[in-house]
Amino acid sequence: MTDATRPALAPTALLVGASEVRIWGMSAAERLRRQLKRVNVTDVREQAEAPATGETLLFRLDHAYEQRLVEALAERPGATLVSDGVAVAANVPGANAAAAAAALAEGRVPAGTEALDSEGLAGSYNRKLRKREIAYVAPLNARSAADFEARSFAGSYKGVTDVVTKYVWPLPARIVTKWCAERGITPNQVTMVSLLLVFVALWLFWNGHYGWGLVAAWIMTFLDTVDGKLARVTMTYSKFGDVLDHGIDLVHPPFWWWAWIVGLPAVGLPLERPGLAVGIIIGGYVVQRLLEGAFLRLFGMHMHVWRPFDSFFRLITARRNPNLVILTVFTLFGRPDLGMIVVLWWIVLSLVVHAAQVVQGVIASRKAPVTSWLSA
């Protein structure tokens, strides 16, 4: 077998030093093992063990790393990550691993590698979460653990989302996420509770019990934030969990609004044309998703990250949480019917805006490529 046909050896990871600090209920070593598993590195060894031949990733345990840095380093042979002048991680050939580990233990850049800071290694645009930020690496000690958890939790948030998720949920969601992480509660378990609450809210709306239905709905939307953040900070996200979470998000909102309309006669406030209202809800939801999908297919990115206006409009567009805000306000004043009428008009107006975004994108693409303002 020639070198050209010999299968490449799987990468090895070497953990340098030690740390007793726990992050989100995990030791620094366990967190790194989970992070490395996400880049298909399962042979993770302590510094005292001899690394296998082949590509070797080295990480100091007295620092904590954002997942983007782990991914970027795995794809960058010959690179060393430097933070505040201290070399903390590197990608070297296995033959050089022992010498590189000794250098990292002293904070020195291993010989023959390129020193890069976080931005140089991973860039400044987080495409997965649709926001611009430099990936973090931080020294890890008892005093800094809380700050690191706060930063890693904030880093798990999408930069472009609705107003409730962006401004209301972060603080309570961080508290509940921490509580779940320390007790070993999994993201999928949280998601299953969310799914149960979807049906509870649906039944309550259908029967005109709007107050309790809104309580169930808001708890569900809160847990919908917690499960994703819990998965990211504990490195326990899975394909099944992702499909389940996004599947629930995709399917249930129009059925809630449909149930809301069905329940209005039970409180003596029926709509004059309920069939038309349901048609607007179902049709509007489908068309909105189609417009978003068309923009993504045409330009390779979400319409909400194109221009500052598009990101602002995502805060309030006719999605689940903004619609719930409208319905909650009107229900508090005893007029759930008027709340639904406002939601119907907001769905129509949002569709007009999204259709204009697609048309404007097509026109703009004739002059120059359509790119996100966040990646500039």
Side-chain angles (χ1 to χ4, degrees):
M1 183 179 291
T2 66
D3 289 341
T5 58
R6 184 179 291 113
L9 294 171
T12 299
L14 192 61
L15 306 183
V16 179
S19 175
E20 300 300 323
V21 179
R22 300 186 71 82
I23 315 164
W24 297 110
M26 298 173 287
S27 67
E30 175 59 25
R31 186 173 190 273
L32 266 170
R33 289 177 186 275
R34 294 186 187 184
Q35 289 182 289
L36 288 161
K37 188 176 181 181
R38 306 306 303 181
V39 293
N40 299 317
V41 178
T42 56
D43 185 0
V44 183
R45 308 183 178 197
E46 302 296 331
Q47 185 176 356
E49 301 179 62
T53 57
E55 182 180 314
T56 303
L57 305 176
L58 300 98
F59 293 89
R60 283 177 51 148
L61 282 173
D62 62 353
H63 280 68
Y65 311 85
E66 185 181 338
Q67 182 65 19
R68 279 191 295 154
L69 292 173
V70 176
E71 295 170 357
L73 189 67
E75 298 174 356
R76 193 79 173 260
T80 291
L81 173 62
V82 176
S83 175
D84 294 328
V86 177
V88 296
N91 182 335
V92 301
N96 301 342
L104 286 183
E106 298 176 358
R108 295 183 290 106
V109 177
T113 63
E114 179 186 9
L116 298 168
D117 62 11
S118 295
E119 185 173 10
L121 182 62
S124 60
Y125 179 52
N126 189 332
R127 185 171 297 276
K128 290 181 181 178
L129 296 181
R130 305 198 293 270
K131 60 183 177 181
R132 185 168 54 211
E133 64 175 2
I134 297 174
Y136 59 83
V137 55
L140 197 55
N141 54 59
R143 290 181 300 176
S144 67
D147 290 338
F148 176 80
E149 286 182 344
R151 188 170 182 181
S152 63
F153 182 80
S156 71
Y157 259 84
K158 291 180 179 178
V160 180
T161 185
D162 68 83
V163 65
V164 176
T165 301
K166 190 175 181 70
Y167 297 113
V168 179
W169 289 153
L171 179 57
R174 179 186 164 193
I175 295 171
V176 174
T177 299
K178 174 75 170 179
W179 186 88
C180 291
E182 291 181 338
R183 287 157 180 78
I185 297 173
T186 68
N188 287 349
Q189 290 171 334
V190 177
T191 301
M192 293 307 296
V193 175
S194 295
L195 178 59
L196 175 63
L197 288 171
V198 166
F199 290 107
V200 170
L202 181 72
W203 184 86
L204 290 167
F205 291 156
W206 192 277
N207 290 278
H209 304 304
Y210 294 114
W212 287 112
L214 286 167
V215 170
W218 279 119
I219 295 174
M220 181 273 162
T221 67
F222 174 71
L223 293 181
D224 185 41
T225 290
V226 170
D227 61 6
K229 306 304 171 287
L230 181 63
R232 291 190 182 98
V233 300
T234 61
M235 305 293 160
T236 52
Y237 36 80
S238 63
K239 289 184 178 179
F240 170 76
D242 188 60
V243 170
L244 178 64
D245 185 37
H246 285 84
I248 294 172
D249 291 346
L250 184 65
V251 172
H252 80 270
F255 291 99
W256 275 1
W257 316 146
W258 184 358
W260 190 283
I261 293 169
V262 171
L264 285 172
V267 295
L269 297 168
L271 297 183
E272 291 185 5
R273 303 180 66 180
L276 175 62
V278 172
I280 291 173
I281 287 169
I282 302 299
Y285 190 78
V286 171
V287 172
Q288 178 180 351
R289 291 294 184 175
L290 289 175
L291 289 171
E292 291 175 348
F295 197 98
L296 181 62
R297 184 176 181 83
L298 286 170
F299 310 115
M301 66 179 187
H302 293 275
M303 64 167 54
H304 310 297
V305 300
W306 178 22
R307 303 162 300 187
F309 169 81
D310 305 311
S311 297
F312 164 76
F313 195 72
R314 176 63 180 86
L315 290 170
I316 58 174
T317 191
R319 290 280 195 99
R320 180 191 63 199
N321 288 357
N323 287 348
L324 274 176
V325 171
I326 295 171
L327 293 172
T328 299
V329 170
F330 278 90
T331 299
L332 289 174
F333 284 96
R335 295 304 302 266
D337 57 329
L338 292 182
M340 179 51 64
I341 291 172
V342 173
V343 165
L344 292 171
W345 277 108
W346 188 232
I347 289 172
V348 173
L349 291 173
S350 293
L351 285 180
V352 172
V353 172
H354 292 319
Q357 288 170 307
V358 175
V359 172
Q360 290 169 346
V362 171
I363 294 172
S365 67
R366 295 174 181 174
K367 300 178 181 179
V370 173
T371 58
S372 171
W373 72 283
L374 295 171
S375 62

